Structures are given as C-alpha cells and as structure tokens.
Amino acid sequence: MSMDRAADQKDWHGGPPQGPPGPGGPPGGGAAFLLAQLGAHAAERFAQRIAELDLTPAQAGLLRLLVQNPGRSQRELADALGMPPSRFVPFADGLEQRGLIERRRNAEDRRLYALHLTDQGLALLARLRDTAIAHEQDVTQALTPEERTQLVALLGRIAAQQQLTPGVHPGYRTLRGR
C-alpha cells in the first residue's frame, strides 16, 4: 500500500483529512458530508430520546414554537414550520387530544383558532428541555465549551447564508399527522 493510500485509510477512519482530496472527494468527507452525517446521527438520537416522552421531533418543534409565540393561528404555525395547512390540522389534533395544546378562538378574528400550550403541555416541555440539554451535551462532548460556542456561531452563519429559518427543522415540510 502506498503512503498516500495508507494516509487515506487513516483519514477515512477518523483522522482529519490530510492533503488534497482524491477523486472521490476528501477522505472522510468534506464539510457538507460531515454536517449531513452528524445531522442525521443527531436527529436520529434526538428522536430516540424524545420517543421516551411519547413525542416526535415535529411535535417537540411545535411545542417549542408555542411557548415562544403563544396564541398563533394554525396557519401561521403551519407556515413557520414550512408544513402545508392540510397536514398541520391532523398534526395539531393529536397534540390536542393528548391535552398538550388547546385551540381558542382568536379574539381579533373569530374565524381563526389560536393555539396555546396547556399546563400539561408546559410540564412536558420542561421535560423536553432537560432531554434536549442532555442531547446537546452528549453530541458535543468532544468539544470544549469555547469550541462548542465557536461551532454554534459558525453553523449559525452557514444556516443564515443558506436562508434556513432559525429553530425550524426543514424536514417538517414533509410531515404527516400522527
């Protein structure tokens, strides 16, 4: 095996890429690949963690939106999540049936419903917050606090440049009601 091939093998199995990329891209993947790999891994682990709370990631996202912006209409929430309204209604129905959210008539436009967290929803959100903190610590345990802060800042810049909506997972666009 050549020296370059030996270096490529080492890089592929965990070391940082060394030298110029080969014909298949950087050994071990470039930034976009690593972001996708880590994103998929982190999303899968988060989904497993919150399944213990009987939540999906999309349901967790809606609870977060509602605590930040109580009283928003179903249409506004569907738009914020990038979800078609026809998918949002059954999605919200499931959380309402569980007693986590409630629909109230909008005081300014009685044709609309405003969504709010219930006390039970707020209690579950507190447990969700603890789970999210543990998940964040687990995913970033290889970093110092300063490196983690720098990583968050860099990823935030990339997300803004890509015109992603802060705090909203782009996967919500394809959700089905649960």
Side-chain angles (χ1 to χ4, degrees), residues 155-166:
L155 293 174
R157 280 182 30 205
I158 293 170
Q161 183 272 324
Q162 294 293 317
Q163 300 179 348
L164 300 176
T165 304

Side-chain angles (χ1 to χ4, degrees), residues 49-55 98 124 127-129 131:
R49 288 173 187 259
I50 66 171
E52 295 173 12
L53 302 175
D54 195 25
L55 286 174
R98 292 177 54 195
L124 183 60
R127 293 177 56 206
L128 175 63
R129 187 175 300 118
T131 300

Side-chain angles (χ1 to χ4, degrees), residues 87 103-104 110 148:
R87 290 187 182 160
R103 290 176 170 103
R104 299 180 197 158
R110 305 246 336 131
R148 185 193 163 286

